[in-house]
Amino acid sequence: MSDYKDNEEYGFATRAVRAGQVRTHENEHSEAIFPTSSYVFGSAAEAAARFSGEQPGNIYSRFTNPTVRTFEQRLAALEGAERCVATASGMSAILATFIGLLSAGDHIVSSRSIFGTTTILLTNFMAKLGIATTFVDLPDLNAWEAAIKPETKLLFLETPSNPLVELVDIAALAEIAHRKNCLLVVDNCLLTPALQRPLELGADIVIHSATKYIDGQGRCMGGAVCGTQAVVGEGVYGFLRSAGPSLSPFNAWVFLKGLETLQLRMKAHSENAQALAEWLEQQPAVKRVYYPGLASHPQHELARKQQSGFGGIVSFELNGGKDEGWRLVDATRMISITANLGDTKTTITHPGTTTHGRLTPEQKQEAGISDGLIRIAVGLEDIEDIKADLARGM
Ligand SMILES: *Cc1c(COP(=O)(O)O)cnc(C)c1O
């Protein structure tokens, strides 16, 4: 008889394996998948009670599905959140947060070094709805504070950033945000709760692209928003219910199985990335290596303080420019040329012409995306094979 109850007494690894599971009458050991769009009610009165919210339970899978709920509860247990709302993608998690919590006339302060598509969402679409954004340098606490206006409602960031793995002191920024009555929203995609828990450091909301390390094997699209019941459970969930960027039960199942091995995988990604970063620093073709686990990283001490590992993203600048960058990418035989990250398979990207290719030259320069920059999302292959593959094009 299984007696696991979701509570704080269990350690991280235990919650990753067991939180949120509800067994059916079949007593399955692994979590069940519920591919159903709707549910039947016992009576007209029960249907009415469910729809009015008087009685909790399943209504329609756009906003209630048992497999999705298990994933939400497991991720909430790992982030230390009261509530998690799953979405169809990382971008829809970000969109649901902005639209669910903000109104026309509100203002956002965002890190400049965010996922390229998030920049487009803010500048091309949120702006159109009357929600303006001011961009600041991620590590610069004074710049964050100076950019906050009376109508600022939300601060948004990723730490470490991608691809340059810059950090911000989350606890210090949370103090500024709360003094100014703003919500601090952290996209925790690159480290996952296995290596960093922003809510424990004072952030109000954590966002995920589950497509990356939570899946961990490059199969499914999905996202999530974690926070309090009052903020995420009302505003963000309310938008999801009415607008419908919902996570499919199958993808939720893949993600919740992914969470079971998340800590082991993140540790292995970090070990390979550390070894690769140290090797890259020795290569004559390399001008500079960006990895928070290196003593040469300007925020190495902060990374040690607020993270429990350094993650799988390593970037480096070649002495050359775009031609040398493309030559290195094209010389690889094993590493995958793809912009995805968070996969067991190592991937290589030239950010200037892919993930950040839609930014203007000025935006690229501000974001520090030079022509000789290469990003590696370090996978779980043998580290010697990863090094050998990169050595071919240097
Ligand atoms: C990929 C990514 C997103 C967007 O997630 P999708 O699942 O692709 O929609 C958002 N933030 C970060 C940091 C990402 O890497």
Side-chain angles (χ1 to χ4, degrees):
M1 170 71 192
S2 174
D3 255 345
Y4 179 89
K5 296 262 181 345
D6 291 342
N7 69 41
E8 290 301 316
E9 279 167 40
Y10 289 106
F12 186 92
T14 307
R15 280 178 270 147
V17 170
R18 296 197 176 264
Q21 182 171 14
V22 181
R23 291 214 168 85
T24 73
H25 63 280
E26 299 289 358
N27 284 322
E28 67 283 354
H29 192 200
S30 176
E31 295 77 358
I33 311 181
F34 290 89
T36 180
S37 50
S38 60
Y39 305 86
V40 291
F41 308 107
S43 66
E46 187 179 73
R50 289 273 176 89
F51 272 85
S52 72
E54 212 174 288
Q55 186 195 93
N58 300 317
I59 301 171
Y60 188 56
S61 279
R62 188 185 334 108
F63 52 97
T64 48
N65 179 276
T67 319
V68 173
R69 192 177 310 122
T70 299
F71 167 63
E72 290 172 337
Q73 290 181 356
R74 188 165 295 179
L75 183 57
L78 297 182
E79 286 288 3
E82 213 171 85
R83 182 72 196 270
C84 169
V85 172
T87 57
S89 66
M91 288 319 303
S92 57
I94 297 170
L95 177 70
T97 302
F98 292 161
I99 301 224
L101 302 178
L102 302 175
S103 306
D106 288 346
H107 174 250
I108 297 172
V109 181
S110 171
S111 162
R112 191 169 279 130
S113 319
I114 53 174
F115 189 61
T117 311
T118 312
T119 307
I120 305 280
L121 177 68
L122 287 166
T123 55
N124 294 14
F125 297 98
M126 299 314 294
K128 197 166 76 171
L129 301 178
I131 298 167
T133 304
T134 303
F135 292 95
V136 296
D137 286 340
L138 176 68
D140 188 347
L141 292 170
N142 293 331
W144 283 95
E145 180 148 11
I148 296 173
K149 309 182 199 184
E151 59 271 30
T152 308
K153 293 280 161 59
L154 190 150
L155 312 186
F156 182 86
L157 63 96
E158 297 166 21
T159 178
S161 64
N162 173 28
L164 294 181
V165 291
E166 281 187 314
L167 277 58
V168 72
D169 186 330
I170 297 175
L173 192 56
E175 188 277 317
I176 294 171
H178 298 152
R179 182 154 42 77
K180 301 275 191 179
N181 286 320
C182 297
L183 293 170
L184 179 61
V185 181
V186 177
D187 180 336
N188 201 26
C189 169
L190 260 65
L191 290 180
T192 81
L195 301 183
Q196 173 174 272
R197 289 187 285 283
L199 300 177
E200 289 175 5
L201 298 167
D204 301 288
I205 293 176
V206 163
I207 288 183
H208 278 286
S209 167
T211 316
K212 312 294 169 53
Y213 291 104
I214 289 179
D215 176 329
Q217 293 164 67
R219 298 163 293 193
C220 294
M221 302 289 305
V225 185
C226 302
T228 61
Q229 171 60 26
V231 175
V232 171
E234 300 293 326
V236 178
Y237 182 67
F239 174 76
L240 178 92
R241 179 174 178 153
S242 301
S246 316
L247 183 62
S248 87
F250 178 78
N251 289 10
W253 181 82
V254 170
F255 296 147
L256 76 91
K257 301 312 280 182
L259 289 177
E260 294 181 10
T261 56
L262 183 66
Q263 198 175 36
L264 291 171
R265 288 186 288 105
M266 293 313 291
K267 192 160 173 274
H269 281 291
S270 300
E271 282 169 10
N272 263 1
Q274 182 76 35
L276 184 69
E278 288 171 10
W279 176 80
L280 282 166
E281 271 196 324
Q282 309 298 319
Q283 304 310 304
V286 174
K287 184 156 74 183
R288 182 169 170 194
V289 182
Y290 300 88
Y291 188 64
L294 293 175
S296 62
H297 190 285
Q299 296 168 298
H300 179 60
E301 280 315 310
L302 175 61
R304 289 171 57 111
K305 191 178 83 178
Q306 77 181 10
Q307 306 174 190
S308 52
F310 302 114
I313 304 297
V314 178
S315 293
F316 57 98
E317 232 169 275
L318 294 163
N319 285 318
K322 187 198 129 189
D323 290 348
E324 285 76 9
W326 278 27
R327 193 180 310 140
L328 180 80
V329 170
D330 290 339
T332 58
R333 290 187 212 152
M334 177 211 41
I335 296 175
S336 315
I337 306 174
T338 168
N340 196 33
L341 61 91
D343 198 306
T344 50
K345 299 179 175 71
T346 298
T347 68
I348 187 165
T349 323
H350 182 254
T353 49
T354 57
T355 50
H356 294 66
R358 281 192 289 170
L359 302 187
T360 64
E362 296 73 42
Q363 285 173 322
K364 269 191 225 175
Q365 207 192 349
E366 279 178 333
I369 310 298
S370 69
D371 287 341
L373 187 74
I374 298 289
R375 188 201 73 191
I376 307 291
V378 185
L380 303 182
E381 302 98 335
D382 287 299
I383 184 63
E384 294 308 323
D385 293 332
I386 300 172
K387 289 182 201 167
D389 213 29
L390 289 173
R392 288 183 226 282
M394 281 189 187

